Amino acid sequence: MPRQDELRALFDAMNEGVAGHELVRDASGRVHDYRVLAVNPAFTRHTGLSASAVVGRLASAAFGSSEPPFLSTYQRVAETGVPETFEAYFEPLRRHFRISAFQTGPDAFGTVSRPRLGRQAPGSTRPGCKRCTTLARLRTADEKELIDFALESAVALTGSEVGYLHFVDDDQQNLTLYTWSERTLQNCSVGTERHYPLSLAGIWADCVRLRRPVIHNDYATAEGKKGLPEGHFPLVRHLSTCVVERDKVTVVAGVGNKPTPYQDDDVRQLQLFLDGVWD
């Protein structure tokens, strides 16, 4: 299992800017701003704003804007739990960003962002992905919380709705569920069995059998598909990949239900997170 310091180092080393925030309400309960709770080094590289300049401050003050950036979108994500991914040109920083926002708790949300070089016009909004533990807690988070955060971030960056992570036993015949993404738990009412043989697993486990990433962009008609158990969320699209060590698969992660087909860039994002968590 990866150590906590290794997992924290992963977030510090991420190329994407990551930040945690909380909504700020006035005496009447109306949301009028949000506060920055934590940022990683990539956030500073992309924005030119240091952690000391933004953490603990209201967004309107931290970013030097008359209105908190993208407040209506972030409020909607924090209140409904429905993640969103969008592209926008941010005038105060004179930069274009692709941002994934996801709920992290009551009135709280996280963002994963990347600059869009060479882009000057506002982009269109797109659906994205869901919640994770707040960044403010990462410094004291345990191993499970940090792995959950990595999984939720991978779900967000691939624009997916659900995700999972399993370990593969040394005998290469059995799988052990370690964690599901939060939205998976909310939309799936199947039993809580955490151990099952690879021979009974469906095509979602083909990456273990083939030892390479596998994409199913039309899961319903995919060859070799087995039926989903009663109470399982509908699976439309699916991407999974794994880590191989000493000629054995050790861990497998997957995401599902991206609104558009999965592509090679999604594979790279998921593999990056899985390799980083496991190294």
Side-chain angles (χ1 to χ4, degrees):
M1 295 287 293
R3 300 194 307 268
Q4 290 185 38
D5 56 346
E6 292 174 335
L7 291 169
R8 293 191 186 102
L10 167 65
F11 297 107
D12 287 341
M14 285 173 57
N15 290 325
E16 291 78 13
V18 186
H21 316 80
E22 63 180 2
L23 298 179
V24 176
R25 299 178 182 270
D26 61 22
S28 68
R30 181 183 66 88
V31 173
H32 66 92
D33 213 324
Y34 58 90
R35 181 174 287 105
V36 182
L37 299 178
V39 299
N40 72 342
F43 176 93
T44 295
R45 293 196 301 271
H46 295 165
T47 65
L49 300 171
S50 66
S52 61
V54 297
V55 173
R57 300 185 67 190
L58 296 179
S60 55
F63 296 110
S65 56
S66 58
E67 298 290 335
F70 317 121
L71 177 61
S72 61
T73 299
Y74 292 156
Q75 179 179 353
R76 186 166 59 247
V77 169
E79 291 181 339
T80 68
V82 178
E84 298 189 30
T85 297
F86 60 96
E87 294 185 6
Y89 183 71
F90 185 40
E91 182 61 34
L93 298 180
R94 297 184 180 277
R95 295 178 186 177
H96 196 284
F97 292 93
R98 182 176 189 266
I99 303 171
S100 293
F102 40 91
Q103 185 191 66
T104 61
D107 272 4
F109 63 95
T111 57
V112 178
S113 61
R114 298 186 271 187
R116 303 292 282 174
L117 300 179
R119 301 288 296 278
Q120 297 298 320
S124 58
T125 59
R126 302 187 288 195
C129 179
K130 180 123 169 120
R131 85 161 240 189
C132 64
T133 315
T134 59
L135 278 175
R137 297 171 55 200
L138 283 179
R139 296 299 174 185
T140 58
D142 62 22
E143 182 179 85
K144 175 65 163 54
E145 289 178 306
L146 289 165
I147 292 179
D148 284 346
F149 180 87
L151 177 61
E152 297 289 353
S153 298
V155 171
L157 285 172
T158 57
S160 303
E161 294 184 354
V162 294
Y164 61 84
L165 187 145
H166 291 72
F167 292 121
V168 183
D169 293 354
D170 284 343
D171 62 11
Q172 301 292 279
Q173 299 300 315
N174 294 282
L175 300 162
T176 300
L177 172 66
Y178 185 74
T179 190
W180 277 316
S181 67
E182 183 64 22
R183 195 168 187 183
T184 308
L185 293 171
Q186 292 178 354
N187 292 280
C188 191
S189 59
V190 297
T192 57
E193 177 61 44
R194 305 184 73 87
H195 306 276
Y196 40 88
L198 178 62
S199 61
L200 298 181
I203 58 174
W204 63 266
D206 279 353
C207 70
V208 179
R209 302 179 180 104
L210 301 174
R211 301 189 173 197
R212 61 171 175 79
V214 173
I215 292 175
H216 302 106
N217 275 324
D218 188 357
Y219 196 86
T221 62
E223 184 178 355
K225 178 185 71 69
K226 297 181 179 179
L228 297 173
E230 184 177 354
H232 197 285
F233 59 89
L235 195 54
V236 180
R237 296 183 179 89
H238 173 256
L239 161 64
S240 60
T241 190
C242 60
V243 171
V244 180
E245 288 184 336
R246 299 182 182 89
D247 201 37
K248 289 187 176 182
V249 179
T250 55
V251 59
V252 54
V255 292
N257 291 354
K258 180 182 178 180
T260 57
Y262 287 107
Q263 300 181 21
D264 290 343
D265 184 59
D266 299 310
V267 174
R268 286 191 291 270
Q269 291 290 348
L270 184 59
Q271 193 71 56
L272 173 66
F273 272 90
L274 189 57
D275 290 345
V277 166
W278 194 249
D279 281 345

